[in-house]
Amino acid sequence: MMRTNFKGIVLFTRPYREKDGLVKIFTEDQGTQMFFVRGFNQATHSLKSQLIPLTYNDYWGTINQEGMSFLQEARTLNFYRPIHEDIEKHAYGIYLAQLIDASINDRENHPELFALLQDALELMVKSTMYPVIATYVELFLLPYFGVHFDFHHCVVCHKPHYEMDFSMRLNGMLCSDHAHLDEMRWLLSPKVVYLLQVLSKAKLKQIRSIDVSDETLKMLRDFMSALYQEYVGIRLKSKSYLDKLQKYLT
């Protein structure tokens, strides 16, 4: 393929052989692509700033449909500095980048997910509600993993409720009238149910005004972790690191 211009967000980097490296970039219009970078470990590499994970850049390079692609030039469009300067924000950002990467195949164009990651990073720069942002992304990605839930209605009577629990045995929400059908159901507070209902329907940029207590946030994060473990079945290193970091910070 000929040399082309494209924009992308760096997902991760890894060493390759002794001096070179691999960089995975979520491109705006050609999906996720793996790039070979010669001399990656050199401190004076001309593209060093544009190879940092969670940066948005404009690139010139060669994208191949098979094998690795190559980069020649780049310029920074958004470094998202507040994310890189905050250890917790950065951990959340890396987790979301890896989760989105895990939800799709390489080289498949997903402009809606590129926009999702871009919007999430921009919102994290301005907001301290990154756990809520993370939950929004997790809920948004469930269908990409083949998982579908209705958090608004009871799975038995199909009526809308605000006070419900979640049954992993019945694969859905249970209202108080049918809670007895699963004694091992996941107990949810009305505030957590409200958040699940709002986040599953709202636009990402609308959630910055949501006020959530630390207790509700913890319940929400614990539930989403259990949901992903049961139905998605992936365990990312970035998620393990994030969980350990949260325990250390609390």
Side-chain angles (χ1 to χ4, degrees):
M1 179 178 284
M2 296 178 59
R3 189 169 181 261
T4 186
N5 175 235
F6 60 94
K7 296 177 176 62
I9 298 173
V10 181
L11 298 177
F12 65 82
T13 64
R14 64 176 57 151
Y16 183 73
R17 297 173 181 167
E18 185 176 349
K19 300 180 180 180
D20 306 322
L22 299 177
V23 180
K24 193 165 193 180
I25 298 175
F26 192 175
T27 69
E28 191 169 18
D29 54 11
Q30 299 189 63
T32 54
Q33 302 279 344
M34 187 71 78
F35 293 86
F36 171 79
V37 180
R38 191 176 300 279
F40 173 82
N41 293 320
Q42 296 177 3
T44 58
H45 196 287
S46 61
L47 303 182
K48 200 72 175 180
S49 297
Q50 293 81 31
L51 302 178
I52 298 174
L54 303 186
T55 60
Y56 175 46
N57 308 286
D58 190 20
Y59 296 99
W60 283 94
T62 304
I63 296 181
N64 297 316
Q65 296 306 310
E66 295 184 4
M68 289 181 288
S69 300
F70 302 90
L71 299 172
Q72 282 87 42
E73 300 177 39
R75 67 183 179 94
T76 302
L77 297 176
N78 197 332
F79 190 75
Y80 305 114
R81 187 170 300 279
I83 293 177
H84 292 274
E85 293 176 345
D86 186 301
I87 186 173
E88 191 173 9
K89 278 190 178 185
H90 189 262
Y92 269 103
I94 291 295
Y95 166 59
L96 295 185
Q98 292 188 6
L99 188 63
I100 289 175
D101 183 35
S103 72
I104 55 177
N105 296 320
D106 290 344
R107 299 188 175 95
E108 289 184 356
N109 189 23
H110 288 279
E112 75 286 359
L113 293 188
F114 182 88
L116 176 70
L117 179 57
Q118 191 174 36
D119 289 346
L121 294 176
E122 290 177 356
L123 193 56
M124 287 173 63
V125 166
K126 306 171 185 176
S127 171
T128 59
M129 296 305 298
Y130 25 89
V132 178
I133 297 170
T135 300
Y136 180 95
V137 174
E138 289 170 335
L139 290 170
F140 191 96
L141 291 177
L142 282 175
Y144 290 84
F145 290 109
V147 180
H148 302 269
F149 292 120
D150 178 359
F151 294 104
H152 291 74
H153 302 85
C154 174
V155 72
V156 178
C157 65
H158 308 294
K159 294 180 180 179
H161 294 273
Y162 292 101
E163 294 188 12
M164 292 187 289
D165 297 322
F166 187 88
S167 170
M168 291 188 178
R169 186 169 68 84
L170 298 176
N171 302 315
M173 306 295 285
L174 283 179
C175 67
S176 57
D177 291 338
H178 298 99
H180 65 279
L181 296 177
D182 186 358
E183 295 182 355
M184 302 300 293
R185 65 192 183 279
W186 191 282
L187 302 180
L188 299 174
S189 73
K191 292 182 180 179
V192 170
V193 174
Y194 170 77
L195 278 173
L196 290 171
Q197 292 177 347
V198 170
L199 296 178
S200 63
K201 294 294 184 181
K203 299 293 184 182
L204 179 57
K205 293 182 179 179
Q206 296 174 329
I207 71 172
R208 70 177 65 192
S209 60
I210 295 179
D211 186 21
V212 187
S213 69
D214 290 341
E215 181 182 4
T216 299
L217 277 180
K218 185 180 185 308
M219 292 177 64
L220 180 66
R221 299 303 302 144
D222 288 346
F223 172 67
M224 290 305 300
S225 294
L227 202 68
Y228 260 72
Q229 183 177 349
E230 178 72 17
Y231 292 97
V232 178
I234 62 171
R235 185 65 178 177
L236 301 173
K237 291 182 179 180
S238 55
K239 181 62 165 63
S240 298
Y241 172 76
L242 180 59
D243 290 344
K244 291 177 182 178
L245 178 64
Q246 289 178 315
K247 290 180 180 178
Y248 174 78
L249 293 175
T250 55

